Amino acid sequence: MVILSEWLAAQLDKESAEPAYRQLLQLMQQAILTGRLAPGTKLPSSRLLAADLGVARNTVLHVYDQLSAEGYVISTTGSGTYVADTRPDSAAVSTPTNKPSPARSPDDENDATGSSPRGDMSTRGQRLIEEAGVSAKQWGAFMPGVPDVAEFPARTWSRLQARLWKSANHGLLTYAPGGGYRPLRRALSDYLRVARSVRCTPDQIIITTGIHQSIDLSVRLLADVGDRAWVEEPCYWGARSVLQSSGLKLAPVPVDEEGLNPREQDLREPPRIALVTPSHQYPLGMVMSLARRRTLLEYARQHKVWIIEDDYDSEFRYGSRPLASLQGLDESDRVIYVGSLGKLLFPGLRIGYMVVPERLAATFRTGVAELYREGQLMQQAVLAEFIMDGYLTSHVRRMRTLYGERRQLLIDAVTRHFGDALPVMGDEAGLHFVLGLPDTADDRAIASAAYDAGVIVRPLAAYYSVRQERKGLLTGYACVPHEQIEPAFATLARVIEEHAFAKPQKLRRTG
Ligand SMILES: Cc1ncc(COP(=O)(O)O)c(C=O)c1O
């Protein structure tokens, strides 16, 4: 016992901000877990230990009570306090086999030491992390896909929110079963019918945290591990990650100027899921033609394919009117339509929606509650009021004008620096366009050098799964104030000049 109290006295730091009670508790727990105090050892009386350590007896009593409550010691009235035997049961712990899981590569055995996270991870988890596209920086010139959050009518939002909090009740503060806040689902179905020609009732709308979650839910409810999923080549890396990590086998399908263009070999093996961006192909920007839409719908009907229509930013079209959704043409209930408020309002809102065929609505309502235990009804209620009072429509209208001006300023900057040597692709809609680069350019290296110079662009390479057909940079303009566009582009142009063109073959300005 003398040894224990001597050891404790040496460890206790009376000057520390950590109270003696917490220090003593942690030291004794550590002594028991490491075997310094063996099972069955009798602890000194609280009076004795308190005297040896120069602390109040109550402190020791509290420590003993806590050790007893957590199962470290057993106190028996009259006979004292003993260290409990909590050593792991060796029979239960010993592994029946040392064979590695067949799904893992032999390299992983070396990592099982814990020195690298690879050994800890599943094959699909490892793939997800290795191919991840998410960037730490989400704001600034020329971050693609991000709206100008500084323009969001925050005062209106906060007024609506304050009013709702005054009447907050259990209906707004509990979980949100049943697919989300009913008035929001009603407001969204009205909005989608008018703005996107989506055919739906409020019952068919399921509120989610965004397109990522809507895709995840669809895949979990409609596909099995190992099923095929068509993705556009190139496509949004985030959607690819969600599908892949759910265990689907991805089959990249080429796109041309009319959108998804499946080859014979693709058609021969119908997928379970086809994920498409028909209104504004991501990232190249083309619109799927009516003929291709009808072919895809018919193919889906015949082969029982689920089409996930990702309609992420169609409201922002700068010349023509926004196009109708694919879902609006679907007579066979094969389309799951997914959208998000992230680009219309602000990305951090994390509210999205899906429109599912009527016969699947109850299934999806149960699925979303079962998997994600959804909540945020208060935010959903604010959004419902925001839409019903007309603020969504007026904000989108105002942003369309603002982003249209920024888009033009950026196109002007491209022309000023490069003439028509670098093509601008997919600029009719959305929040970004693709700045084409020569075939010999390394767009990843250019994006990385631009990042170091303080400008964010995404290399087209990151969106291809198999073979990169074109070189280019995704260049966003929506969140860049007018006056910053030219100076930021001048920086980007310098990086492109340095990296994209071999020294003797200096860039030819033709415009
Ligand atoms: C094509 C596409 N779909 C979906 C998303 C993400 O949607 P959400 O933020 O609602 O998950 C993005 C984000 O950039 C996107 O580009």
Side-chain angles (χ1 to χ4, degrees), residues 195-354:
R196 308 292 309 117
S197 306
V198 170
R199 291 194 259 192
C200 65
T201 62
D203 272 346
Q204 290 171 257
I205 300 216
I206 311 288
I207 306 297
T208 63
T209 59
I211 291 173
H212 275 235
Q213 194 178 65
S214 300
I215 297 175
D216 190 50
L217 180 63
S218 306
V219 169
R220 285 167 187 272
L221 293 180
L222 303 176
D224 283 311
V225 170
D227 279 349
R228 275 163 74 78
W230 279 3
V231 289
E232 295 166 320
E233 173 79 332
C235 75
Y236 171 50
W237 51 261
R240 197 166 60 203
S241 289
V242 174
L243 294 173
Q244 202 147 256
S245 66
S246 297
L248 296 201
K249 270 201 244 120
L250 297 200
V253 176
V255 293
D256 63 12
E257 62 287 351
E258 284 189 69
L260 193 77
N261 187 21
R263 300 153 296 188
E264 266 296 312
Q265 72 215 59
D266 300 314
L267 296 168
R268 267 199 305 273
E269 265 190 278
R272 180 75 176 158
I273 302 267
L275 176 62
V276 286
T277 48
S279 299
H280 187 217
Q281 204 279 332
Y282 194 88
L284 297 176
M286 59 284 261
V287 175
M288 192 188 285
S289 68
L290 183 59
R292 290 274 173 84
R293 286 173 190 233
R294 296 185 66 188
T295 307
L296 179 61
L297 288 170
E298 180 53 23
Y299 182 79
R301 187 186 69 77
Q302 281 185 23
H303 299 283
K304 303 229 170 313
V305 179
W306 291 110
I307 300 171
I308 301 179
E309 176 179 12
D310 177 355
D311 201 15
Y312 61 101
D313 74 356
S314 318
E315 282 83 356
F316 299 117
R317 284 204 80 80
Y318 304 110
S320 49
R321 277 171 51 77
L323 291 130
S325 64
L326 180 69
Q327 194 268 7
L329 280 179
D330 175 25
E331 300 286 348
S332 314
D333 283 352
R334 301 306 310 177
V335 176
I336 312 286
Y337 174 92
V338 301
S340 174
L341 273 305
K343 301 202 191 298
L344 298 187
L345 299 179
F346 57 100
L349 180 61
R350 299 313 293 151
I351 296 185
Y353 45 84
M354 54 199 308

Side-chain angles (χ1 to χ4, degrees), residues 1-11 26-43 83 87:
M1 286 312 129
V2 178
I3 295 169
L4 172 68
S5 50
E6 273 178 9
W7 179 75
L8 289 171
Q11 305 290 320
Q26 279 165 9
L27 287 168
M28 294 198 72
Q29 286 170 335
Q30 188 191 335
I32 292 169
L33 292 175
T34 56
R36 175 182 284 275
L37 278 174
T41 308
K42 187 174 187 203
L43 296 187
V83 174
R87 287 169 300 182

Side-chain angles (χ1 to χ4, degrees), residues 124-174:
R124 57 190 168 158
Q126 198 171 303
R127 190 153 180 199
L128 176 78
I129 301 308
E130 279 168 9
E131 294 178 12
V134 68
S135 119
K137 227 169 150 187
Q138 295 285 338
W139 184 250
F142 293 105
M143 178 75 202
V146 175
D148 192 345
V149 295
E151 293 291 330
F152 179 69
R155 286 175 66 173
T156 302
W157 188 270
S158 94
R159 181 170 49 74
L160 296 173
Q161 180 154 297
R163 199 171 72 208
L164 279 157
W165 268 109
K166 281 195 195 126
S167 56
N169 54 27
H170 74 277
L172 285 178
L173 300 180
T174 55

